């Protein structure tokens, strides 16, 4: 086996270090699987004098990423961020290198530019690690389900927030403390705002939705609510009503009743998942993607969605694929956006909702709250009341399926009632 392929790794952080470890420790197996040896020709970092894991060969470190890209057959981008990652990936593609990236932020922001460049150059652009870390869900949706019709994708695609919500539910810790623990374990992004505010999950939702519905889904069309507004009381009430709180990415075919338009809806929000649903059992930093299709039915992909080693596994799977193409010829899948469906506004969603209210505990209040629902055409499925302090009652109202617009209007009307002290929370119930 005389052939060698030159591999450049951009970034030697949480993921890059594990990619380099696999490239070096599994070199013989990789060579046998690819049909050529993968030669690590350099590792680009910001600061080559920083302390590194011994797996990273110091003699290959460079701060000149451009020069490194220019001498590679395969470029692995695991530095993250928009620039210089975009410039370096485009440079690699134009130079004829295949690219493997874990960078969901960049793909969600500017995927079409990268796809177009890869098409023009006739090279591979692979990104399995960009969605749900070590779970091979990109390949499943892009290739295995290419002959089916995907109807809905429900995903726990951010390990940090799942870890945080799970800690809050099982150990009663506060959100801030759980976030610090997730950071220490290497799950969180450099700035955990991307995790807790749902930006990371929104980027993954945009990528998954684009693949599932053969439609470009721009990041700014993805509805987004993070977990920072959630309290231990929300977690407790979820449990009391037979649910588990999860930050979900939801992508589905939908119909906007107001405009009559059929399209796709993509959003990220905290949701109440019934405790019997498979997604409710996904604990810690695990990710899971639940896919509903016309022919295959319901599928669930479960695994580690964050952390160096699981993510490196996904990256290396891509490296083997693109390297094989170098050896035997051909290319992997290209962008499929032929369906070009309209992306509907987030408030066109239809779902069941749960409202929690603090109300005055006196005759007629429940009737007023129920009337506000009726006025907006929102049907109530269940009401639960428990006493609070000082003549305040806690109401938990679960609705039948309704539009988010009608629900928001109802919540505003309820909040304006003199007998209502406050609307404590409005959460969607998903996966029922
Ligand atoms: P880290 O912050 O741990 O590492 C980033 C690495 O890139 C560092 O080695 C850094 O150099 C290098 N780097 C950053 N900017 C530059 C630059 N301008 N020039 C040269 N080198 C640079 O990130 P992660 O490993 O956690 O994440 C990498 C990518 O993988 C991101 O896109 C992330 O979203 C994605 N990802 C991460 C997962 C995870 O669990 N961590 C899971 C799935 C995807 P230096 O060391 O000198 O600072
Ligand atoms: N910060 C991300 C998470 C890493 O917590 O899931 C994986 O993309």
């Amino acid at each position: 086996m005389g052939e060698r392929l030159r591999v450049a790794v951009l970034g030697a952080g949480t993921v890059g270090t594990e990619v380099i470890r696999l490239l070096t420790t599994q070199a013989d197996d990789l060579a046998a699987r690819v049909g050529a040896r993968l030669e690590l020709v350099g590792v680009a970092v910001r600061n080559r004098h920083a302390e590194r894991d011994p797996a990273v060969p110091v003699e290959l470190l460079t701060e000149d990423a451009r020069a490194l890209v220019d001498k590679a057959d395969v470029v692995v981008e695991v530095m993250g961020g928009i620039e210089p990652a975009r410039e370096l990936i485009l440079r690699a593609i134009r130079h004829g290198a295949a690219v493997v990236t874990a960078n969901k932020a960049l793909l969600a922001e500017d995927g079409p530019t990268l796809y177009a460049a890869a098409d023009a150059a006739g090279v591979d652009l692979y990104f399995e690690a960009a969605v749900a870390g070590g779970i091979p869900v990109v390949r499943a949706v892009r290739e295995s389900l290419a002959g089916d019709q995907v109807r809905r994708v429900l995903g726990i695609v951010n390990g940090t927030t799942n870890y945080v919500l799970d800690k809050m539910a099982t150990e009663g810790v506060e959100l801030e403390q759980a976030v610090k623990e997730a950071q220490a374990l290497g799950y969180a992004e450099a700035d955990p705002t991307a995790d807790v505010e749902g930006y990371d999950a929104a980027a993954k939702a945009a990528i998954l939705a684009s693949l599932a519905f053969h439609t470009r889904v721009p990041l700014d069309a993805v509805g987004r609510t993070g977990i920072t507004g959630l309290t231990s009381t929300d977690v407790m009430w979820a449990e009391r009503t037979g649910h588990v709180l999860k930050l979900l990415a939801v992508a589905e075919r939908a119909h906007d009743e107001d405009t009559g338009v059929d399209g796709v809806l993509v959003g990220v929000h905290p949701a109440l998942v019934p405790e019997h649903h498979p997604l409710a059992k996904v604990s810690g930093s695990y990710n899971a993607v639940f896919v509903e299709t016309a022919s295959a039915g319901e599928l669930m992909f479960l695994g580690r969605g964050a952390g160096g080693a699981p993510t490196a596994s996904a990256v290396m799977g891509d490296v083997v694929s693109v390297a094989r193409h170098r050896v035997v010829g051909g290319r992997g899948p290209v962008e499929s956006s032929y369906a070009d469906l309209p992306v509907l506004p987030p408030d066109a969603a239809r779902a069941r909702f749960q409202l929690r209210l603090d109300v005055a505990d006196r005759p007629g209040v429940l009737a007023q709250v129920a009337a506000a629902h009726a006025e907006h055409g929102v049907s109530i499925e269940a009401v639960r009341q428990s006493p609070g302090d000082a003549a305040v009652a806690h109401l938990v109202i679960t609705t039948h399926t309704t539009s988010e617009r009608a629900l928001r209007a109802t919540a505003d009307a309820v909040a304006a009632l003199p007998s209502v002290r406050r609307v404590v929370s409005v959460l969607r119930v998903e996966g029922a």
Side-chain angles (χ1 to χ4, degrees):
M1 192 188 301
E3 195 174 350
R4 285 178 181 268
L5 291 171
R6 297 160 299 172
V7 180
V9 177
L10 310 182
T14 304
V15 180
T17 300
E18 297 309 316
V19 167
I20 293 162
R21 198 187 309 282
L22 290 177
L23 269 170
T24 48
T25 60
Q26 309 294 317
D28 290 344
D29 281 336
L30 291 168
R33 293 170 197 178
V34 168
R37 287 199 83 76
L38 299 179
E39 183 192 356
L40 179 62
V41 291
V43 179
V45 290
R46 256 179 312 221
N47 174 9
R48 70 192 168 91
H49 302 294
E51 205 178 317
R52 303 277 162 196
D53 185 290
V56 181
V58 282
E59 67 281 8
L60 292 182
L61 290 172
T62 175
E63 291 169 20
D64 188 351
R66 288 194 188 120
L68 175 59
V69 158
D70 290 349
K71 61 178 181 184
D73 302 303
V74 176
V75 171
V76 177
E77 186 276 304
V78 282
M79 60 173 38
I82 304 300
E83 294 293 359
R86 171 168 39 202
E87 180 218 318
L88 291 167
I89 288 176
L90 290 173
R91 187 179 181 108
I93 288 172
R94 287 177 191 137
H95 168 76
V99 171
V100 173
T101 176
N103 195 332
K104 59 255 161 173
L106 176 56
L107 283 163
E109 174 160 312
D110 204 12
T113 302
L114 305 185
Y115 279 127
D119 276 348
V123 298
D124 278 328
L125 171 66
Y126 271 51
F127 49 88
E128 181 61 67
V131 181
I135 308 176
V137 67
V138 166
R139 200 167 302 233
V141 174
R142 187 149 91 141
E143 299 186 50
S144 312
L145 294 172
D148 206 333
Q149 295 289 340
V150 176
R151 292 185 172 148
R152 195 153 111 110
V153 180
L154 289 178
I156 295 173
V157 291
N158 183 265
T160 302
T161 47
N162 204 53
Y163 178 88
V164 167
L165 293 174
D166 195 36
K167 278 260 159 186
M168 288 171 79
T170 56
E171 295 177 24
V173 304
E174 290 307 325
L175 189 129
E176 294 75 17
Q177 189 195 328
V179 171
K180 283 195 186 122
E181 288 178 30
Q183 281 178 289
L185 290 165
Y187 305 146
E189 298 297 304
D191 174 3
T193 311
D195 297 299
V196 294
E197 295 295 356
Y199 291 102
D200 176 77
K204 293 167 182 168
I207 296 168
L208 266 184
S210 301
L211 298 175
F213 302 117
H214 303 272
T215 289
R216 285 183 178 170
V217 176
L219 189 51
D220 59 11
V222 179
R224 181 191 51 78
T225 307
I227 64 165
T228 46
L230 298 179
T231 64
S232 49
T233 320
D234 292 309
V235 173
M236 180 195 76
W237 271 106
E239 193 182 325
R240 275 196 197 176
T241 58
H243 298 91
V244 181
L245 258 178
K246 296 289 182 195
L247 183 73
L248 289 190
V250 182
E252 59 194 343
R253 292 295 305 264
H255 175 75
D256 187 334
E257 293 195 328
D258 286 4
T259 58
V261 174
D262 284 315
V264 295
L265 256 170
V266 191
V268 169
H269 46 258
L272 294 162
V273 178
E275 57 195 12
H276 57 76
H277 192 280
L279 287 174
K281 313 274 188 301
V282 179
S283 61
S285 67
Y286 274 83
N287 280 197
V289 181
F290 190 81
V291 186
E292 298 170 14
T293 78
S295 299
E298 294 178 345
L299 304 164
M300 184 152 123
F301 303 87
L302 171 74
R304 292 234 171 253
T311 309
S313 162
V315 169
M316 288 308 300
D318 283 353
V319 169
V320 168
S321 293
V322 304
R324 268 196 208 130
H325 294 153
R326 290 265 142 173
V327 175
V328 299
R331 276 177 83 197
V334 297
E335 183 188 28
S336 171
S337 57
Y338 75 92
D340 198 21
L341 296 166
V343 184
L344 305 178
D347 65 357
R350 288 182 63 76
R352 289 165 67 226
F353 290 86
Q354 193 181 84
L355 287 88
R356 284 202 297 116
L357 317 173
D358 285 350
V359 301
D361 197 0
R362 59 169 189 259
V365 172
L366 199 51
Q368 291 168 10
V369 170
H373 282 72
E375 274 164 29
H376 292 91
V378 175
S379 173
I380 293 174
E381 180 187 282
V383 179
R384 177 174 173 146
Q385 180 174 332
S386 58
D389 302 328
V392 170
H394 302 306
L395 279 186
V396 182
I397 298 174
T398 309
T399 71
H400 285 295
T401 299
T402 186
S403 78
E404 177 144 358
R405 285 182 197 128
L407 196 280
R408 294 282 160 203
T410 306
D412 288 348
V414 165
L417 291 171
S419 53
V420 172
R421 301 284 164 86
R422 64 186 183 120
V423 176
V424 184
S425 69
V426 178
L427 289 167
R428 277 207 226 178
V429 182
E430 296 278 14

